[in-house]
Every structure is written in C-alpha cells, then in structure tokens.
Amino acid sequence: MDQKSVWVGTNWKMNKGPGEAIAAADALASFKLPEGVRAFVTPPLTSLKDVASILQDSPVMVGAQTMYWEDSGAWTGEVSAPMIAECGASCVLLGHSERRQNFGETDWTVNRKVQAALRHGLRPLICIGDLLDEYEAGVSQETLARQTKIALNGLSREDLRQVVVIYEPVWAIGSSGRPADPPFVSEIHTKLRSVVEEIAGHDGSIRIPLLYGGSVSRANIRDYVALSDVDGVLIGRAGWDPEDFMSLIASVGDLVSVKAGA
Ligand SMILES: O=C(CO)[C@H](O)COP(=O)(O)O
C-alpha cells in the first residue's frame, strides 16, 4: 500500500539566474520538512546542477521544468532525461500548460517524455489542465481524462508508482488567473481519482498523487490540501521566495496526519 504524503512543490519557471537560484537553494538546504511532507523545486536548467548539488542531502527534491524524449542527437536547444539525471535531478515537470500552449507540446509528446523520464529514473510530474473555454463549456473533466489517459498510456505498474499528476486549470495560473474554487477542485480530483484508478487498479496498492496548482497562496493552500482527493499543491509566484515556500510548507504540516487518518 502506498503511504499517503502531502506534496508541496514550487516551479520557479523562467525566474532566477544562477546567482539567485544558488542563494535560494542555500536558504532551502537547512529546512526541516514536517514529517509526511514531500517537497520539490524546479529551477531553470541554468542552475539545475548547482541547486541539485546544494540540496543533495536535503529532503527537498530537485527537478527540471521540461526535457526532450530522445537521449541525445541533433536536437538543438533541447536537453534529455540522462542529462537531467546526471545534473542530480530526481524528477521533471512534463506537459506544463505553458509548454503545451507556447511550445507545441501535445498529449502524445507528453507521453513520450513521460516514458523517457521513467527510463532514466526520473519521476515524471505530469501537468494537465483545462482551458477557460473548456471550463465554461463544462467539458473540463473530458479534457483532463484524455490528457491523463494519454500521458499514462503504456506505463507498467512499476512506472505508475513513480508518477505524480498535477491539475492546473489554465485559467487559474499566473497574475491574470483566478484560483479555482475548492469545491470545484474537489469534484475534479474525485473524478480524476477514478480515472487513475481505472489505469492503476482500485485496490489502493498504487496511489498516484494528485496535486492542484494555479494561484495557490497563503490564503488558500490549506483549503486545497485539506480536500480528500488532493495530495498536495504546486505553487508558482507565492513560493518563489524560499522563506515564503518554507512557511507555506510549514502551514500545512499538521494536515498530513489528518489526511493519513482519512
Ligand atoms: O507551475 C505552476 C506552479 O508552480 C503554475 O503555473 C501556477 O503558477 P501560479 O499561478 O503563479 O501559482
């Protein structure tokens, strides 16, 4: 039976040059995570190796923000899973909506990346999300089920134990987004739980963590983490300052035991 944890990550996106990233990693290095919390940070590639090295003895996991599915070759500008692993990363964000919208990622390219990450021992942190017009048309669930099923297509049971799925409504992300209402997130995650259980089995032996992301802040983090089918959050702006990130993690530490008993 997979143990229930609360996941809290922050994606620095295209922020922090190497100097600032190293300073932030130094600040995170001595942080004592509350028991049962699994934390991760995804710095830009220019500081991945430095941040991973600073955090190598810390429980805070380090991941890349994207990667390509081939291991090497004539793919100018891309980086591969073995390169990311060699930098010391243990996980990688895949299919973030900013990648899908601005860099042409599709459900099927996300699947190729998921498989490549797993081949090289990286935990895929798979982002899925509905567009505003899909949300308004009431088809969010269909979009999310499709994205999830394709991302997980062809994975073995061992592979499924490694993946994390992150629901980030595109309309909730960034300074122009509005945080999704917790009851809506609850409804979506309950349905997503059935989608992943259809794939991984209903016996509970594999519990795929389902995270929420999109305008998570001090004001709402506990409302999301308290939901029974939400296993944690991915934070953007509110987590970029390492002190804020640590304080947000500390603010949900007590929910670990509440959720474990649920
Ligand atoms: O990746 C994200 C979180 O790290 C996501 O895009 C949400 O960003 P935010 O709206 O700035 O929290």
Side-chain angles (χ1 to χ4, degrees), residues 11 13 96 98 168 172-174 214-216 234-237:
N11 172 19
K13 306 195 181 186
H96 192 286
E98 287 153 13
E168 295 207 307
I173 292 174
S215 294
V216 173
L234 176 58
I235 309 167
R237 290 155 295 151

Side-chain angles (χ1 to χ4, degrees), residues 8-13 15-16 20-29 31 39-44 55 60 216-218 221 235-250:
V8 185
T10 183
N11 172 19
W12 290 350
K13 306 195 181 186
N15 296 292
K16 302 190 196 297
E20 205 187 328
I22 288 168
D26 281 336
L28 293 175
F31 184 48
F40 63 90
V41 57
T42 58
L55 294 177
V60 179
V216 173
S217 68
R218 173 162 295 282
I221 185 168
I235 309 167
R237 290 155 295 151
W240 291 342
D241 178 311
E243 299 300 327
D244 290 344
F245 183 53
M246 293 186 281
S247 150
L248 284 164
I249 292 175

Side-chain angles (χ1 to χ4, degrees), residues 66-73 75 78-84 92 94-95 99 103-120 122:
T66 185
M67 49 160 256
Y68 196 57
W69 59 79
E70 295 288 350
D71 289 359
S72 61
W75 306 104
E78 295 289 340
V79 293
S80 66
M83 291 173 180
I84 288 169
V92 56
L94 296 172
R99 301 292 314 172
F103 301 98
E105 296 208 1
T106 67
D107 297 341
W108 288 104
T109 61
V110 172
N111 175 257
R112 293 183 79 166
K113 292 180 178 201
V114 169
Q115 305 219 27
L118 289 162
R119 273 200 307 278
H120 293 281
L122 295 169

Side-chain angles (χ1 to χ4, degrees), residues 154-225:
L155 267 53
S156 68
R157 290 183 66 73
E158 273 324 295
D159 288 344
L160 290 168
R161 281 188 196 288
Q162 300 306 317
V163 305
V164 172
V165 173
I166 308 171
Y167 170 46
E168 295 207 307
V170 178
W171 43 271
I173 292 174
S175 51
S176 57
R178 66 163 179 82
D181 292 333
F184 175 75
V185 174
S186 177
E187 192 187 318
I188 289 284
H189 274 237
T190 301
K191 290 190 180 135
L192 270 179
R193 180 71 63 204
S194 4
V195 171
V196 295
E197 282 184 355
E198 241 174 69
I199 298 165
H202 295 275
D203 62 2
S205 62
I206 301 177
R207 181 181 169 89
I208 296 182
L210 300 178
L211 278 51
Y212 168 78
S215 294
V216 173
S217 68
R218 173 162 295 282
N220 58 29
I221 185 168
R222 287 180 65 83
D223 298 337
Y224 295 126
V225 173

Side-chain angles (χ1 to χ4, degrees), residues 31-49:
F31 184 48
K32 300 265 177 297
L33 280 186
E35 205 174 322
V37 173
R38 307 186 74 171
F40 63 90
V41 57
T42 58
L45 282 170
T46 46
S47 52
L48 185 66
K49 190 165 188 249

